[in-house]
Amino acid sequence: MKNQDQSSWVRTQDKGNTRSRDRHAPKSPAALAGPTGPRESLPVFLFPTELLFFSQQSSSHRRVLTFYNPYSFSLRFKMLCTAPSLYTVVDAEGSVRARSCVDIVVRHQDVSTRNWGRRDRFRLEVWGGGQGGSREIWAELRGGQEDDQSQETYQRRAASPRRSVPALPEGYWNHDGGRNASLFALYVVIGLVCLAFLMLPLHNESSTLVPTVMHVTVMQKLVCAYVLGKMLVFRSLTYA
């Protein structure tokens, strides 16, 4: 398999909606045309570096790859595989915005004994900013179940990818889909303020614990309830 040439690479079966990701794609024709410079001139950050599937452990039949874009321009990507009939990939093609990352879900479709020990390769081809690059990873199906040591090793590889990504300021990464830590913190602060207003007594009610100056009107409570409801709806749609 190490001697396979470019012709052995085939597009994976894409189960995602790539149109939704294309809205972030660069608009210029040159950017959409693919790599124009040396093919390996653009470093590609894809983690983990290996996919391990275990035939008797259904939870391991689904693995997640994370593709990081540390650059100041958007990147287009396409996932290829040497055995596309054995795998399905969610969002095998699409784009990722600058300084963002995106998850690519890979599912093994045939964990029968005939495929035990089989090793296949995935290649992620990316281009943007007039440059292009690619990254290859191995995928292997093993018999039995994942032991504690293998699971710990796999989780460690998947949880520490940023050690290999160029050092960047804290909060630099925005996960594709709007999962921004600062935005989440803002939601929490506004939500707490609204809850505090809803718990305060009305201006015509007496209270020995709350000073009169902190009593609120019915209209203020209605506004807070409305804002809190809108925030919950917006957050559920954003993080769904």
Side-chain angles (χ1 to χ4, degrees):
M1 183 169 294
K2 292 183 179 180
N3 297 326
Q4 289 171 314
D5 57 14
Q6 177 65 25
S7 62
S8 66
W9 293 100
V10 185
R11 290 175 58 181
T12 54
Q13 301 180 47
D14 189 356
K15 296 299 182 180
N17 182 3
T18 58
R19 293 183 180 179
S20 62
R21 295 193 182 277
D22 288 342
R23 68 181 184 274
H24 301 310
K27 301 301 182 180
S28 64
L32 294 174
T36 57
R39 190 164 188 79
E40 302 300 333
S41 62
L42 190 69
V44 177
F45 303 99
L46 181 67
F47 303 93
T49 57
E50 184 181 26
L51 295 178
L52 296 179
F53 303 91
F54 295 86
S55 60
Q56 298 181 14
Q57 186 171 342
S58 58
S59 61
S60 73
H61 299 171
R62 174 186 178 275
R63 295 302 192 186
V64 178
L65 293 168
T66 302
F67 170 41
Y68 290 86
N69 176 13
Y71 306 107
S72 59
F73 47 85
S74 298
L75 291 176
R76 297 290 303 276
F77 66 87
K78 177 173 62 177
M79 180 70 79
L80 304 176
C81 182
T82 55
S85 61
L86 296 179
Y87 306 90
T88 57
V89 180
V90 178
D91 294 328
E93 294 186 52
S95 64
V96 56
R97 292 174 294 180
R99 295 181 288 273
S100 300
C101 54
V102 64
D103 289 337
I104 304 173
V105 179
V106 179
R107 298 180 185 273
H108 204 297
Q109 296 295 97
D110 187 357
V111 295
S112 57
T113 55
R114 63 186 178 187
N115 290 323
W116 289 9
R118 180 188 177 100
R119 285 170 63 83
D120 302 304
R121 281 187 295 169
F122 285 87
R123 172 185 285 175
L124 185 70
E125 295 188 346
V126 304
W127 62 92
Q131 304 178 72
S134 66
R135 178 73 180 273
E136 295 183 9
I137 64 170
W138 286 97
E140 180 181 354
L141 175 64
R142 298 179 180 179
Q145 295 188 0
E146 186 176 15
D147 55 35
D148 293 339
Q149 184 176 1
S150 298
Q151 186 174 12
E152 182 180 353
T153 301
Y154 186 87
Q155 290 177 348
R156 183 170 62 251
R157 291 177 180 177
S160 58
R162 294 180 188 177
R163 295 178 182 177
S164 303
V165 180
L168 299 169
E170 191 68 25
Y172 184 87
W173 293 105
N174 295 320
H175 197 78
D176 193 47
R179 302 182 182 187
N180 186 285
S182 60
L183 185 60
F184 178 76
L186 180 62
Y187 287 158
V188 173
V189 172
I190 296 177
L192 291 176
V193 171
C194 291
L195 287 175
F197 262 85
L198 292 175
M199 296 176 64
L200 292 174
L202 295 172
H203 68 284
N204 57 357
E205 295 178 346
S206 59
S207 175
T208 58
L209 300 177
V210 181
T212 305
V213 70
M214 296 184 63
H215 288 207
V216 297
T217 64
V218 175
M219 183 58 66
Q220 288 175 323
K221 286 199 172 189
L222 289 176
V223 171
C224 289
Y226 176 80
V227 172
L228 189 61
K230 285 292 185 180
M231 283 181 50
L232 292 175
V233 173
F234 179 74
R235 183 179 180 278
S236 64
L237 293 175
T238 302
Y239 288 80

